[in-house]
Amino acid sequence: LAKTTQPISMDSYEGQEVNITCSHNNIATNDYITWYQQFPSQGPRFIIQGYKTKVTNEVASLFIPADRKSSTLSLPRVSLSDTAVYYCLVFSGNTPLVFGKGTRLSVIA
Amino acid sequence: SAVISQKPSRDICQRGTSLTIQCQVDSQVTMMFWYRQQPGQSLTLIATANQGSEATYESGFVIDKFPISRPNLTFSTLTVSNMSPEDSSIYLCSVDVLGQAGANVLTFGAGSRLTVL
């Protein structure tokens, strides 16, 4: 399984764009990149998933360069409610997801 | 996406006892997983619950301590046996749903917060 590395924590002010970068140097050809968000006292929630280039949904954008050795989760105009832990994971097929330590995002008013 | 109900949501247990956590899904799913999240930590995969066969355990987890049942495609149980304070954690059930990109996406239950005294 490809190991991921992401910052332990980040701070941001409300209304700013937040970019969280994840490194996955050993990503395999069949691996997908997926991001989850976890609020206190809740289970993780799927945010976005991609294989290459750029993916955008109503919550976030995911940028994946051509070599796929990293990915960046972009949260536009964050609010206080975006304070959470964000996990970057890499996997293929039906292999169970292995969570790393995640990035604790604190949004400040 | 699937809706998962976990019971109990929380419990306080005495050392040496066992507790069974139930996970009910509102649709049939192929893959079900059990995770543990210790206070302030990330999630650790305990096992994959296989329907009709024995669960597949991750390194560091054994069937005698964490027996798992999966009688059908919508239900699973995880038992934490002979509990000690070190077992105090949140236990989460999750299921896979085919994601937008063609790869699997996990939906998690709210978790069962277990405190062992």
Side-chain angles (χ1 to χ4, degrees), chain A residues 32 36 38 91 94 96-97 100, chain B residues 35 37 42 45 101 103-104 106 108:
Chain A
Y32 282 83
Y36 283 74
Q38 186 178 26
F91 74 105
N94 290 325
L97 292 183
Chain B
Y35 286 83
Q37 187 168 31
S42 182
L45 179 64
N104 292 330
L106 287 190
F108 283 82

Side-chain angles (χ1 to χ4, degrees), chain B residues 2-14:
Chain B
V3 176
I4 300 174
S5 300
Q6 264 189 252
K7 289 193 297 187
S9 59
R10 59 178 60 228
D11 207 340
I12 300 173
C13 303
Q14 296 299 317

Side-chain angles (χ1 to χ4, degrees), chain B residues 44-55:
Chain B
T44 301
L45 179 64
I46 297 173
T48 301
N50 302 308
Q51 195 269 324
S53 64
E54 196 170 281

Side-chain angles (χ1 to χ4, degrees), chain A residues 47-104:
Chain A
I47 301 175
I48 198 166
Q49 182 174 264
Y51 183 79
K52 61 180 179 180
T53 63
K54 176 184 175 182
V55 180
T56 297
N57 62 21
E58 64 278 5
V59 176
S61 293
L62 179 60
F63 299 91
I64 306 169
D67 66 4
R68 303 200 327 121
K69 295 188 176 187
S70 67
S71 59
T72 299
L73 175 73
S74 181
L75 304 172
R77 299 179 299 281
V78 294
S79 64
L80 295 175
S81 63
D82 292 316
T83 294
V85 178
Y86 292 83
Y87 296 98
C88 164
L89 302 97
V90 173
F91 74 105
S92 62
N94 290 325
T95 56
L97 292 183
V98 176
F99 285 76
K101 296 185 183 300
T103 297
R104 186 174 299 275

